Amino acid sequence: MTDDTTDGWSGWRAATEAALYGPGGFYRRPEGPAGHFRTSVHASPLFAEAVARLLCRVDEALDRPARLDFVDMAAGRGELATGVLAALPAEVNARMRVYAVEVADRPAALDHRIEWLPQPPKDITGLLFANEWLDNVPVEIAETDSTGLPRRVLVRRDGRERLGEPPAGAEAEWLDRWWPLPPEEGLRAEIGLPRDEAWASAVATVGKGLAVAVDYAHAASSRPPFGTLTGFREGRECTPVPDGSCDLTAHVALDACALPGGRVLTQRDALRALGIAGARPPLSLASAQPVQYVRALARAGEAAELTAPGGFGDFGWLFQPVGVDGLLVDVPDHEEQ
């Protein structure tokens, strides 16, 4: 790969790595990701319940091993791991080993049963779950110049950009295969090769079970013409500036990440297959059992948000079975993303 780093200019991959994960980086801040943006995990405990249900299906497919692993990739402050433990049946909970993988320091009040690691453990037997991890794996950005040639985008810490050299080697091959840019000036692509490699490495830690990646996603048939790089700060979308002041994220080409046997579904279809739907409770319950009706109505509202078109429901779920048959969710073939 050509080194374009000169006089404070670098590719977006290096700039993002430093801004998010370097000393004083965004993901090392004490408030954590939840202080700046809301994921499905923060939206409703129903999400953790669905993941717990999926883990129970993995457990059954593995014939209920003596030790069952759950790995929460990009764990934030351990919210998903905590919610999954709380939602599991006692018999399954007794056999659990739970790992939270995160670059930030372990939260002081985290459940002692959750092991805090910078990298996933090896030889996992169970479920590795990566919710909104791959969108924060830094990537290079390519932009078509005035001659129709794709070139790497360089950036300074204050967000100013200029074009560098054309992508070469494996980056150029990835771009040609997964996101070819038409010869029109200003069109952009995010070169997702590091995400493919990160996902393959994560899946390789699973000895037997299932790996799932959940993220903003797009497929080869509908790549966005100007890319998706953006920033988030204090709950609002903002200009992406690699100075550590904001999250830096870009949607994921999950179809490129998928290994043989992998399959991508929408979150809407995946959660429905796991028993999460936004149907309102019957009005008759309001008069017969008003307290239960209010609770059921609240759950229906949360489920509706998790499965909503144009929102969380459009996220992609990449299922990657390892040594087990099928996806462990019953979704018709025509509902594949």
Side-chain angles (χ1 to χ4, degrees), residues 12-26 138 157 242-244 248:
W12 266 102
R13 183 181 180 187
T16 300
E17 183 74 32
L20 295 184
Y21 307 115
F26 179 83
R157 197 168 185 271
D243 61 359
L248 297 170

Side-chain angles (χ1 to χ4, degrees), residues 38-47 267-268 271 276-279 297-315:
R38 191 164 174 261
T39 72
S40 295
V41 178
H42 308 119
S44 171
L46 293 177
F47 189 81
Q267 175 158 301
R268 179 169 50 258
L271 288 184
I276 305 298
L297 193 62
R299 286 176 64 89
E302 293 173 4
E305 181 181 7
L306 291 175
T307 58
F312 288 132
D314 289 344
F315 273 43

Side-chain angles (χ1 to χ4, degrees), residues 52-316:
R53 196 168 294 126
L54 178 60
L55 178 57
C56 288
R57 295 185 185 182
V58 173
D59 182 43
E60 185 177 354
L62 296 174
D63 294 325
R64 298 178 177 82
R67 189 201 76 201
L68 181 66
D69 299 321
F70 176 69
V71 179
D72 179 10
M73 294 291 295
R77 294 301 178 265
E79 298 96 336
L80 179 60
T82 300
V84 168
L85 270 175
L88 287 172
E91 188 278 326
V92 178
N93 213 318
R95 293 183 283 113
M96 289 302 304
R97 289 289 301 273
V98 180
Y99 305 91
V101 179
E102 182 56 73
V103 297
D105 294 336
R106 179 190 179 95
L110 189 68
D111 191 313
H112 69 91
R113 294 173 295 173
I114 300 173
E115 188 171 347
W116 197 262
L117 299 173
Q119 299 291 336
K122 304 296 184 184
D123 199 28
I124 294 162
T125 300
L127 175 63
L128 180 143
F129 200 88
N131 185 59
E132 295 195 40
W133 168 50
L134 290 174
D135 66 290
N136 288 126
V137 172
V139 295
E140 298 291 1
I141 296 175
E143 181 178 318
T144 306
D145 69 12
S146 60
T147 70
L149 180 68
R151 296 169 65 184
R152 292 172 68 215
V153 178
L154 307 182
V155 64
R156 296 187 70 131
R157 197 168 185 271
D158 61 6
R160 285 181 292 165
E161 293 182 337
R162 69 174 176 85
L163 297 185
E165 295 296 316
E171 285 185 349
E173 292 174 5
W174 190 96
L175 198 62
D176 287 342
R177 178 180 180 185
W178 292 107
W179 199 334
L181 284 171
E184 180 181 336
E185 185 177 5
L187 298 184
R188 284 194 170 202
E190 289 116 20
I191 304 175
L193 179 63
R195 293 167 173 181
D196 298 0
E197 294 171 343
W199 180 241
S201 294
V203 173
T205 67
V206 181
K208 198 169 186 180
L210 181 67
V212 179
V214 180
D215 238 308
Y216 303 93
H218 46 65
S221 60
S222 58
R223 303 283 190 227
F226 301 104
T228 61
L229 178 68
T230 191
F232 282 93
R233 183 188 298 115
E234 297 177 355
R236 296 180 180 274
E237 191 169 4
C238 64
T239 301
V241 178
D243 61 359
S245 67
C246 65
D247 185 29
L248 297 170
T249 178
H251 294 198
V252 183
L254 284 179
D255 52 346
C257 294
L259 300 169
R263 184 176 166 194
V264 180
L265 310 175
T266 65
Q267 175 158 301
R268 179 169 50 258
D269 292 334
L271 288 184
R272 285 175 177 172
L274 291 167
I276 305 298
R280 293 171 61 94
L283 284 174
S284 58
L285 186 64
S287 55
Q289 296 177 297
V291 174
Q292 289 189 18
Y293 175 78
V294 170
R295 290 175 180 169
L297 193 62
R299 286 176 64 89
E302 293 173 4
E305 181 181 7
L306 291 175
T307 58
F312 288 132
D314 289 344
F315 273 43

